[in-house]
Amino acid sequence: MTDIKAALRAQHIETPSWAYGNSGTRFKVFTQQGVPRDPYEKLADAAQVHAFTGIAPTVALHIPWDKVDDYADLARHARDLGVGIGAINSNVFQDDDYMLGSVTNPSARVRRKATDHLLECVDIMDATGSDTLKLWFSDGINYPGQDDIRARQDRLAESLAEVYDRLGEGQRFLLEYKLFEPAFYATDVPDWGTAYAHCVKLGPKAQVVVDTGHHAPGTNIEFIVAFLLREGKLGGFDFNSRFYADDDLMVGAADPFQLFRIMFEVVRGGGLDPETGVAFMLDQCHNIEPKIPGQIRSVMNVQEATAKALLVDREALATAQSEGDVLGANAVFMDAFNTDVRPLLAELREESGLAPDPMAAYAKSGYFEKIAAERVGGNQAGWGA
């Protein structure tokens, strides 16, 4: 149990700045009280998640949603709050020029514009001390014959190579994939294999990030995790839940057993070891639930799945597997999943000087009432702001 507690104490889960702003669907973005009006206030909210969970010490930024005049000052502000700047997320999907794609666009001018933005994001990494650039491309086509599928891969490879060459010592980029949306006929980075192939060709500073909501229904995500870990190409996760498509609901809400299976493969493959560099990031939009509690609950869900994965009796599992004991092996697996780890995690938090129930502690803190009263006027942060 000592080793399990040590692994749980060392776990870090990164929250996304955009989760604290207003969000919604393509039909409506809903506003809430107390929502941050700038990146500085987003960091203040993220610091609350870390204060009550103890395992969320970094915050991912999204550019230009989190654009500021002085990124070094923003990083200092984060440190003053007890958190740090995590991954820098690029945005090449919210400009009219990108209607036909960004780095794979038929227009050389548009491709240059998109690649320049990616290079700007590396500059922001330098200024904030971030070591990770996250790349997601909405690029794709809607109709057969609309563009040359192979040529688009060539353009993608060219842009990625330029960004890769710009990375400094200790920096990397994570390439994200998504089955569809907004492109419907052919997405340019639709699956882990495409992302993996580009990253292998580029070198060790290019890795794949697995967004748990970006797959076809029924996809065995834990297989992908196991394979990428084995190859040293799993750079991190964007954790969320989905019922139908890219729902961006709270991680573990739709299928906690899937999250457990994923985390087991992480544990099995040594992905909790900080030396592997696997980043555990949330990528969610809290459209109808309160922002900060939604992030706290999400961090707790990942922590619970990790604790259960660590409880799997690996020796008993290996014995049953080697003997071909199908039901015995499955029983070992299910015993861990069915274990209530909440008392263990409450004890762990108390040993770390934290309240045993982060949700209840936050609700009693008065922080929401404070920001709801103070953050009146100005423009609330949200998609595109």
Side-chain angles (χ1 to χ4, degrees):
M1 193 60 68
T2 300
D3 291 343
I4 292 175
K5 284 186 175 181
L8 291 169
R9 285 193 184 94
Q11 186 176 33
H12 288 167
I13 299 169
E14 184 165 303
T15 67
S17 68
W18 53 98
Y20 302 100
N22 288 321
S23 62
T25 68
R26 61 193 176 100
F27 299 102
K28 172 66 177 175
V29 172
F30 301 101
T31 60
Q32 295 186 20
Q33 285 185 305
V35 165
R37 296 161 295 183
D38 58 47
Y40 290 84
E41 291 181 347
K42 291 179 184 179
L43 291 175
D45 289 358
Q48 291 294 304
V49 177
H50 182 48
F52 289 101
T53 64
I55 60 168
T58 55
V59 188
L61 300 184
H62 211 299
I63 308 301
W65 297 347
D66 294 317
K67 190 175 182 63
V68 295
D69 293 331
D70 188 339
Y71 288 101
D73 181 68
L74 186 66
R76 284 192 294 271
H77 180 70
R79 290 193 296 272
D80 290 343
L81 292 168
V83 294
I85 302 299
I88 304 300
N89 290 254
S90 60
N91 182 325
V92 285
F93 54 86
Q94 276 191 315
D95 188 298
D96 285 344
D97 276 344
Y98 301 144
M99 183 174 69
L100 299 180
S102 61
V103 297
T104 66
N105 195 293
S107 166
R109 178 190 66 81
V110 174
R111 296 198 301 272
R112 183 69 262 160
K113 175 180 177 177
T115 302
D116 284 345
H117 169 69
L118 305 183
L119 297 174
E120 175 196 13
C121 288
V122 182
D123 293 339
I124 294 170
M125 292 169 64
D126 293 339
T128 59
S130 169
D131 62 4
T132 300
L133 171 65
K134 189 133 65 70
L135 305 175
W136 174 66
F137 300 104
S138 62
D139 298 35
I141 56 179
N142 280 0
Y143 299 99
Q146 176 186 326
D147 198 4
D148 187 313
I149 292 176
R150 178 166 175 166
R152 293 179 76 89
Q153 289 299 309
D154 293 339
R155 299 167 198 156
L156 171 65
E158 181 180 355
S159 177
L160 290 176
E162 184 173 349
V163 176
Y164 187 90
D165 290 342
R166 169 63 182 82
L167 294 172
E169 186 70 26
Q171 294 180 335
R172 62 176 178 168
F173 74 58
L174 307 184
L175 182 58
E176 188 171 348
Y177 58 92
K178 185 179 180 182
L179 178 63
F180 78 101
E181 193 190 36
F184 293 104
Y185 170 61
T187 298
D188 291 325
V189 190
D191 52 42
W192 69 272
T194 305
Y196 174 74
H198 281 285
C199 289
V200 166
K201 186 173 183 179
L202 286 166
K205 292 183 178 182
Q207 294 178 298
V208 180
V209 59
V210 175
D211 185 307
T212 51
H214 283 189
H215 305 83
T219 297
N220 189 327
I221 299 175
E222 55 267 33
F223 171 84
I224 299 170
V225 170
F227 182 92
L228 291 175
L229 263 174
R230 182 174 181 272
E231 299 299 318
K233 280 298 183 182
L234 179 64
F237 291 92
D238 274 357
F239 281 127
N240 50 64
S241 274
R242 49 78 63 83
F243 288 100
Y244 295 104
D246 186 21
D247 302 352
D248 276 348
L249 299 175
M250 291 188 300
V251 59
D255 190 349
F257 185 47
Q258 180 192 62
L259 181 59
F260 162 74
R261 300 193 311 263
I262 290 170
M263 291 311 303
F264 173 76
E265 292 302 334
V266 169
V267 171
R268 164 66 179 84
L272 289 183
D273 187 338
E275 292 184 2
T276 65
V278 177
F280 301 93
M281 301 172 282
L282 303 179
D283 182 9
Q284 303 173 168
C285 295
H286 302 294
N287 300 343
I288 59 175
E289 65 269 26
K291 312 297 182 180
I292 298 173
Q295 288 289 280
I296 291 174
R297 174 67 61 79
S298 300
V299 169
M300 293 171 66
N301 287 351
V302 176
Q303 192 178 33
E304 288 180 17
T306 305
K308 291 182 178 186
L310 288 164
L311 284 174
V312 173
D313 187 335
R314 298 269 296 280
E315 184 177 344
L317 182 64
T319 298
Q321 290 172 341
S322 66
E323 294 175 353
D325 185 355
V326 175
L327 294 180
N330 179 249
V332 172
F333 208 67
M334 296 307 298
D335 282 347
F337 174 68
N338 290 321
T339 301
D340 184 358
V341 297
R342 290 174 297 177
L344 167 65
L345 293 173
E347 179 181 298
L348 181 71
R349 295 183 191 110
E350 288 184 309
E351 291 173 356
S352 301
L354 301 172
D357 184 346
M359 292 288 287
Y362 171 75
K364 293 177 182 177
S365 70
Y367 183 78
F368 173 72
E369 291 76 11
K370 175 177 178 290
I371 60 175
E374 291 179 351
R375 296 175 183 174
V376 177
N379 295 317
Q380 288 186 326
W383 289 349

